[in-house]
Amino acid sequence: MSNTIIVGMADYKIGRTPDKLMTAGLGSCIGVCIYDLHEGAAGLAHIMLPSSNGNHAGNPAKYADTCLEMMLEDLCKLGLRKSRLKAKMAGGAQMFSFKGRTPQLKIGERNAEAVERELKKHGIPLLAADVGGTFGRTINFDIKTGELHIRTINHGEKVI
């Protein structure tokens, strides 16, 4: 019987088939799944900010650089090989805009770029992404199939 593992904001979790990994409330945050279908294991991170800037105080799972590093370490401890890992991500919306002004901070876009940069650094191909827009997302990753189900308010559902 499958179990849905809930991942909170600024956190990550690891699961094995037949489990599913889920996170809700992705606005400017990025939900990134790193997985190996052959081994039937995956990790899902809910990343809030692009970089820790070397600040190791507080919660390292909040940042793209430190969170992905920790999650990859845990996946490798399960016996997964980096050379077989793949990734999918969603989120990175521009949730706030002000009329007549350029979007402030562009945090969603910066989060997406930071996650892509970290994946590239580790040699992990990003197979699919659903990022940007001005709406939040809830994602559910099926470890057995590698499908990332994305639910949005007023924008329907899709699978990548």
Side-chain angles (χ1 to χ4, degrees), residues 91-141:
Q94 180 66 41
M95 296 303 288
F96 306 102
S97 62
F98 303 95
K99 246 186 177 10
R101 283 206 192 148
T102 56
Q104 301 297 308
L105 303 171
K106 293 190 176 177
I107 194 73
E109 191 179 306
R110 286 179 36 228
N111 280 339
E113 289 167 359
V115 168
E116 282 188 61
R117 202 170 33 252
E118 288 300 312
L119 291 170
K120 195 171 278 180
K121 182 174 104 181
H122 291 283
I124 299 167
L126 179 63
L127 299 187
D130 182 48
V131 296
T134 55
F135 49 89
R137 294 165 173 90
T138 292
I139 62 173
N140 203 315
F141 185 75

Side-chain angles (χ1 to χ4, degrees), residues 9-152:
M9 190 181 288
D11 196 10
Y12 73 93
K13 296 270 182 1
I14 306 292
R16 284 196 170 275
T17 55
D19 293 342
K20 292 178 172 57
L21 295 161
M22 191 273 265
T23 193
L26 291 170
S28 59
C29 296
I30 292 284
V32 59
C33 303
I34 298 177
Y35 62 97
D36 180 339
L37 289 180
H38 182 263
E39 293 291 333
L44 171 63
H46 185 134
I47 292 169
M48 290 176 66
L49 294 168
S51 173
S52 64
N53 293 319
N55 174 9
H56 297 289
N59 179 2
K62 188 189 279 189
Y63 309 102
D65 55 350
T66 46
C67 182
L68 290 179
E69 196 73 45
M70 292 186 317
M71 189 164 82
L72 284 170
E73 210 170 281
D74 284 353
L75 288 168
C76 289
K77 281 180 192 166
L78 286 179
L80 276 63
R81 292 200 307 262
K82 258 192 190 180
S83 61
R84 288 216 310 238
L85 296 176
K86 311 268 186 273
K88 292 183 179 181
M89 72 176 181
Q94 180 66 41
M95 296 303 288
F96 306 102
S97 62
F98 303 95
K99 246 186 177 10
R101 283 206 192 148
T102 56
Q104 301 297 308
L105 303 171
K106 293 190 176 177
I107 194 73
E109 191 179 306
R110 286 179 36 228
N111 280 339
E113 289 167 359
V115 168
E116 282 188 61
R117 202 170 33 252
E118 288 300 312
L119 291 170
K120 195 171 278 180
K121 182 174 104 181
H122 291 283
I124 299 167
L126 179 63
L127 299 187
D130 182 48
V131 296
T134 55
F135 49 89
R137 294 165 173 90
T138 292
I139 62 173
N140 203 315
F141 185 75
D142 187 328
I143 300 170
K144 186 179 176 121
T145 64
E147 290 180 340
L148 182 60
H149 296 256
I150 303 160
R151 227 175 38 245
T152 59

